Structure formats: structure tokens, C-alpha cells
Amino acid sequence: MSPSIEEQISHFICEEIIHQPERVLASTEPLLSSGLLDSFSLMDISLFVEDNFGVRIDDTELNVDTFDTLEELAVLIRNRMDTAA
Amino acid sequence: MAITSLAFAGFVIATLVAYHLVPSTWKKYVLLIASLVFYAVFSWQSLIAFSLIALSNFLIGIQLSKEQNKTFWLWLGILINITSLIVFKYADFYLPQVKAVLENANIQTSADGLKILLPIGLSFFVMQGMSYLFDINKKRIPAIKYFPDFWLFALYFPKLLSGPMERAGRFIKQINQPQIVDTKTLETSLALIVMGTVRKMVLADPLTSMLPSDVFTDPEKFAPHLLAAWLLAYGFAIYNDFAGYTNIIRGVSGLFGISLTQNFNVPYFARDFTEFWQRWHISFSNWLRDYIFYPLTRVLRRKFDRKNPLNVILPPFTTMVVSGLWHGLNPHMIVWGGLHGLYQVIERIPSFWRPTIPPAKRPKWRQWLGGLVTFGMAMLAWVPFRADLPTTWAFWKQLTLLFNIPILKKAIHPRSFVYLGSEQSNLYRIWSFPDLRIFILIIPSLLIDIWQYRHPDINTIRDWSQWAKAIALAMSLLAIYLVSLASPQAPFIYQGF
């Protein structure tokens, strides 16, 4: 079974951005409002999403008003994938 | 018409009466007329200039939405906005040269002609107009098709002079669906107005008045500990001035049921510079992030590895230099912006190998140390914000004497006259203590900040008991009254931008 969107992004964040490969992010853990991710990291995630799921997250959406948790980000991605399909 | 004047209070009350008497479909026209009157009081010429720029942005917005020749229309819009900024705002930079050229050609003229037209708040107006065009171009929002709506978006009087920079989509929705102002909204709005007035009149203005007129022009005259105290005073003055302004206009706008973006969130409690810019002048920081930092980062990240020095240095540095240029076309503003860019670059480097820990989860000592370093470096950066480059350098150089222990030891020695020479010795003796009133005023500023830090949502003020509200209100009004008797009111610092 292939990993879910949340798992893939969690793996990317822990491995590449926060350098804690052994960690698994909870899907409801605040990422932006907690300060875990900053503007630099958000662009990395945006490009990762674009490359792996074919979904574009606009620059003006890279903020806490659009998503704050993996769960919210995954919903956004799924909705866009459904719209595109 | 100063925001803290009785004339402004009367103007707002008259507008409120009209706003709440007319049917809901007419409310936005009341706000539009009030906004036009408000700005005409400052300058009817500027009102015409603003309205023409607004009209051009409105028409270009419609053209952009038609999907034909989009590149042409977008560049035309950018050109008009940037040109207006250069013509009006940077007049001081080029008018003397124009005047000199004309005088060389034996043409007598006055360089003051364009200054009359310098519209207050132009920089905010232009940034907001450009983001509107960018957003339509990227299909983030539809173009506004009705000019009075756009005119009001551009000229809404509470935010006209110094922001916050609103995004069109959020604002237009609010003016077309007026909210009922219930007692809770009324209470929060009045609390914001009182808190803002205290910040401006009780804290910012007295702190500003304590600065000697030549501290930012001739710093070498003063002992380093005095310069440090005055720099602290300036840092808290500019913060309380701008945060006070934002509180007042958010409160005023709340009385009309229109919510404006929060612009400050206790920035001096930031634990690093990334956090500082998430807390200082938030609407402007978000503008820079969305329209400069992110697009530039996106382009560079597609070309280079994320650890490539270009990726690390260029986006924050360029963004902050643009921020400096927005404040003024001067080398010292570029240095101010560049310093903030540099701070962010330096902060970024350890994140390439060190595990990231959110600020609130760092050990307490690291939070405190980070907070103190960020605060100190932000204070040092205020010097080029306020003074030209040679003076900035002299100021910083003089401050380094704080760490010159032998000189300090000699300064407090009973025979310091012998060690230091008469001039420097007198300097230390006469000005042995910094103005204690500075620290007395910083305490209430910090207390308000601590309260805001613990209660980020202003609505929690509703939970206070009636007694607590009454006492806080009475103390605030008394302080405002006493200060208004003692010192003349200074204009808002950011109104100059």
C-alpha cells in the first residue's frame, strides 16, 4: 500500500526540512502557527507538492489562513487533484 | 485632521450616525463620501491624484480580467503605480537636480511645486493597487467591475494614511455585506481605540519628545550610555506610534463593521528575525513575502539546490532591501533593509544541519537569549532608519565605547578630568544618568505587550469584570488628558510614508 499524502509530506518535512528523520508528524499538529515551518520551508513544501502531486499551491496561499496542519494540506491537495481529474 | 484629534473624533461620529441611519445598500456610499471628504481635508490636489491612479488601476484591472494582452496591461499598471511613487514620493531625490539643470539654463523655477501634491499615504496606496493587479493577473481574485467599490477600497479613510494594506477580495466582501455592529464589536472597537490612543499619546509622543534634536545628527556629542538610552526611546516610540495608529484605525473601522488586518503582534518579543517580521507591520511583511520573497524563491529553487548560497541569500536580502527602498530612496534606508536581510540570512544557515525546533519549544534560556539578541539588533538597525549613513556610522562607533571598559572606568574616576580631558570628562559628568523617564515609559509599554502576548485575541477584553474595564478606562483617559496638557501632539511617524 502506497503511503498517504500526509505520510509523504510528513516524511519530506522531517527528513529535508526539520532534520528529524525519526520523527513522525501528527496530522493535526500545527506546523505554521507553531513556527515549525517558516517562509523558506513553505516554498520547499509547495514545490514538493507541485512535483509529487501535480498540484499548484499559489504563493498567496502559503500561509496559516490556508492550512496549518498536514490534514488541512492533504485536504487542499485532494480537492485540487479531484478538480483537475 | 490628526487621528487622535477631537476633529477626527467628531468626523467619525458624524459618519457613524449617517452610516447607521441609511439602508444597508447605501452604507458603502456613506463611507466613500466620508473617505473623499477626509482626504480632501488634507489636500484636494492629492485627492485628485489618488483618484486618477485608482481609476487607472480599476480600468487596467478590467482589461487584465479579459485575458487579452495581459502582459501589456500588467506592465502598464506597474509603470503607472511605480511612476507615481517616483514622481511624488522621491521628489526630494530628483527635484534639486531638475532645479539645478533649469537654473543653469537660466530658467527660474521653484522646486516646491511637486511637493504641494505629495499625497500622504501614497506608498501604502501604490502597494495595495499593485497587489490588486497582480492578483487579477494570477486569477486569484476577479476584477472589481463597479468603480465606487474600487474607489472605496482604494480610499477607505481609516486605512488610507498608513495602512494596513488590505487585499481587495476580503475588503469588497465586507463593504457589500455590511455587518451589524453589536455591543461585543462595539466594546472591542472602543478598547482598540483607547489602547491605541494610550500607545500614541501617553507613550510614543512623550518618548519622542525626550530625544534631543541632534541625537540623530550629531551623536558624537553624547556619551554612549545616553545614546543607548535614546535609541531605546526611539525604538519604543516608533513601535508605539505605529502600533497605536493601527489600533485606533482598526477600532474606528470596527465601528463600521469592517475588520482590518492586524498589523502588530508584540514584535519586540520575537525570538528571531523570522518571527520579528511575522509580528512587525504584518500586512506589509505579508505583501513583501507574497509578491517578492515567494516568487523570487520559487524561481531560484527551480534553478538551484535549496542549500545553494543564491537561494539562501538573495530572497531575504532582496526582499528587505525593497522594504528599505519603499520607506525612502536613500542609502541609509537600503542599509536598514539590508541589515534585516542579513540578520535573516545568518539565522537561516544553521537550519541546514540543525534540527528545527519551534520558538516556543526551545529551552527557556534560548528563547530569552534569542529575544534579547533580536531586540538588540533591531534597535541597532533603527539607527540607519532614522539617520543618514555618516551619522549612522558615527552613532554605532560611539556606542562601541560602551564596551570600552578602560574609558568607562576613567569616566567614573574622581580624577576623570585628568584621564579624559576636560571636554569628554564634562560629557560624562553632566550627563551621568540617562533620562529615567524613558525607562518609566517603557514599563507600561512592556506591560501592555505582556498582556497582548498572553491574550493575542483582543476579544478577551470582554471577559473582564465591569470594574476592571471601568478602572482601565478611567486610568487611560486620565493619562491621555494629563499628557495632552503637557506635550504637543506629534504627527504619526509612518504617515510620512
Side-chain angles (χ1 to χ4, degrees):
Chain A
M1 197 174 130
S2 59
S4 68
I5 291 175
E6 285 95 329
E7 285 167 343
Q8 289 181 60
I9 299 173
S10 170
H11 180 73
F12 173 73
I13 292 173
C14 294
E15 189 84 28
E16 299 288 333
I17 294 176
I18 63 172
H19 306 293
Q20 297 171 43
E22 71 290 351
R23 186 172 166 185
V24 178
L25 295 171
S27 61
T28 53
E29 183 177 341
L31 304 174
L32 280 68
S33 58
S34 68
L36 185 68
L37 300 181
D38 59 15
S39 308
F40 292 91
S41 328
L42 278 170
M43 181 51 70
D44 289 330
I45 292 170
S46 168
L47 296 175
F48 176 80
V49 168
E50 210 168 284
D51 293 343
N52 289 275
F53 307 109
V55 164
R56 164 114 180 176
I57 303 176
D58 191 74
D59 293 345
T60 53
E61 293 176 319
L62 294 173
N63 56 60
V64 74
D65 294 334
T66 314
F67 66 90
D68 193 24
T69 63
L70 281 177
E71 192 176 41
E72 289 165 359
L73 178 58
V75 168
L76 179 80
I77 294 168
R78 283 194 194 98
N79 286 342
R80 299 231 166 135
M81 288 168 86
D82 290 346
T83 311
Chain B
M1 197 184 333
I3 299 279
T4 46
S5 67
L6 286 175
F8 183 72
F11 173 78
V12 170
I13 291 168
T15 310
L16 271 174
V17 170
Y19 183 82
H20 289 292
L21 282 179
V22 299
S24 68
T25 46
W26 282 89
K27 290 187 189 300
K28 63 183 178 185
Y29 299 105
V30 171
L31 290 179
L32 177 59
I33 292 165
S35 300
L36 297 176
V37 170
F38 177 73
Y39 205 67
V41 170
F42 283 98
S43 159
W44 63 267
Q45 297 100 323
S46 298
L47 176 62
I48 292 172
F50 262 37
S51 298
L52 287 174
I53 301 167
L55 183 62
S56 74
N57 282 338
F58 168 74
L59 294 173
I60 291 170
I62 290 175
Q63 291 301 325
L64 278 170
S65 67
K66 288 180 182 169
E67 299 283 315
Q68 288 169 347
N69 301 322
K70 281 178 72 171
T71 311
F72 167 76
W73 289 113
L74 181 65
W75 279 107
L76 181 65
I78 293 171
L79 187 71
I80 289 171
N81 282 284
I82 296 286
T83 305
S84 65
L85 204 59
I86 291 170
V87 167
F88 294 116
K89 179 165 179 168
Y90 303 138
D92 284 346
F93 187 74
Y94 67 83
L95 273 188
Q97 280 87 344
V98 173
K99 195 181 176 190
V101 169
L102 291 174
E103 279 174 0
N104 283 342
N106 283 330
I107 301 168
Q108 291 303 312
T109 181
S110 162
D112 293 335
L114 275 172
K115 279 187 181 173
I116 298 166
L117 274 171
L118 177 63
I120 300 171
L122 179 74
S123 308
F124 293 92
F125 180 83
V126 163
M127 299 283 266
Q128 194 177 257
M130 290 209 309
S131 70
Y132 172 72
L133 298 180
F134 292 146
D135 287 350
I136 295 174
N137 184 53
K138 288 274 184 183
K139 296 185 185 171
R140 291 167 184 148
I141 55 166
I144 299 170
K145 299 285 167 74
Y146 185 53
F147 184 62
D149 280 4
F150 187 82
W151 211 5
L152 179 56
F153 162 62
L155 292 169
Y156 180 51
F157 77 90
K159 69 172 177 61
L160 184 59
L161 302 182
S162 307
M165 293 174 196
E166 291 295 321
R167 305 290 169 91
R170 183 173 176 269
F171 185 83
I172 295 297
K173 197 174 167 187
Q174 292 192 77
I175 60 166
N176 282 319
Q177 295 167 359
Q179 299 295 306
I180 294 168
V181 180
D182 55 18
T183 49
K184 287 179 179 174
T185 311
L186 185 66
E187 203 172 0
T188 309
S189 302
L190 292 175
L192 279 169
I193 293 171
V194 171
M195 192 192 288
T197 311
V198 168
R199 277 197 186 277
K200 166 67 177 164
M201 290 180 70
V202 181
L203 303 175
D205 286 352
L207 279 170
T208 308
S209 70
M210 284 171 205
L211 298 171
S213 57
D214 46 1
V215 66
F216 287 112
T217 52
D218 200 2
E220 281 155 320
K221 271 169 51 175
F222 303 105
H225 61 296
L226 299 174
L227 287 181
W230 286 322
L231 184 56
L232 203 61
Y234 181 72
F236 274 91
I238 193 170
Y239 165 52
N240 280 295
D241 187 276
F242 200 10
Y245 163 85
T246 308
N247 279 346
I248 295 170
I249 60 103
R250 283 183 71 216
V252 167
S253 191
L255 298 175
F256 298 100
I258 294 175
S259 152
L260 294 180
T261 311
Q262 186 186 4
N263 231 4
F264 287 89
N265 183 15
V266 283
Y268 287 156
F269 288 2
R271 287 152 289 197
D272 54 41
F273 274 94
T274 305
E275 199 184 6
F276 180 85
W277 282 100
Q278 287 164 353
R279 293 174 174 273
W280 179 275
H281 203 175
I282 298 167
S283 63
F284 179 56
S285 304
N286 288 350
W287 195 102
L288 292 169
R289 181 198 64 197
D290 289 352
Y291 300 107
I292 296 176
F293 179 85
Y294 277 150
L296 185 58
T297 309
R298 189 179 282 276
V299 169
L300 289 170
R301 280 283 284 106
R302 284 294 182 206
K303 288 183 188 296
F304 308 103
D305 173 66
R306 60 195 291 266
K307 291 181 185 174
N308 185 297
L310 284 177
N311 265 327
V312 181
I313 296 168
L314 267 186
F317 204 73
T318 310
T319 306
M320 295 317 299
V321 167
V322 170
S323 165
L325 284 171
W326 177 85
H327 285 87
L329 194 62
N330 303 300
H332 61 96
M333 282 299 187
I334 296 174
V335 168
W336 171 76
L339 266 179
H340 276 276
L342 184 68
Y343 294 158
Q344 290 181 50
V345 171
I346 292 170
E347 239 171 45
R348 175 77 179 152
I349 293 168
S351 72
F352 287 124
W353 66 85
R354 205 170 66 182
T356 308
I357 303 171
K361 290 191 176 171
R362 291 172 195 158
K364 282 284 174 204
W365 70 267
R366 242 186 93 189
Q367 291 189 42
W368 275 97
L369 184 65
L372 287 172
V373 170
T374 305
F375 177 78
M377 300 307 274
M379 288 296 131
L380 286 179
W382 284 130
V383 182
F385 188 86
R386 181 64 180 75
D388 62 26
L389 272 190
T391 315
T392 294
W393 181 243
F395 199 111
W396 284 341
K397 206 170 148 192
Q398 191 75 354
L399 276 182
T400 58
L401 291 178
L402 268 178
F403 304 101
N404 193 326
I405 304 299
I407 284 198
L408 284 182
K409 271 187 181 171
K410 285 175 186 172
I412 59 172
H413 194 279
R415 296 180 66 201
S416 58
F417 176 82
V418 176
Y419 292 121
L420 295 171
S422 59
E423 199 178 320
Q424 206 170 2
S425 170
N426 283 338
L427 190 74
Y428 278 87
R429 283 185 176 188
I430 298 166
W431 301 86
S432 53
F433 288 108
D435 192 338
L436 288 179
R437 293 175 304 165
I438 292 172
F439 303 99
I440 291 169
L441 283 173
I442 286 175
I443 291 168
S445 174
L446 287 174
L447 288 176
I448 298 175
D449 278 1
I450 290 168
W451 182 80
Q452 276 195 289
Y453 191 75
R454 290 183 177 169
H455 306 90
D457 182 3
I458 183 73
N459 291 321
T460 55
I461 214 159
R462 294 177 197 153
D463 302 333
W464 288 16
S465 69
Q466 295 298 332
W467 275 106
K469 286 177 196 166
I471 291 169
L473 182 63
M475 283 173 62
S476 303
L477 293 179
L478 182 66
I480 291 166
Y481 174 69
L482 291 176
V483 170
S484 69
L485 293 177
S487 59
Q489 202 187 334
F492 285 94
I493 297 171
Y494 258 76
Q495 207 161 289
F497 298 110

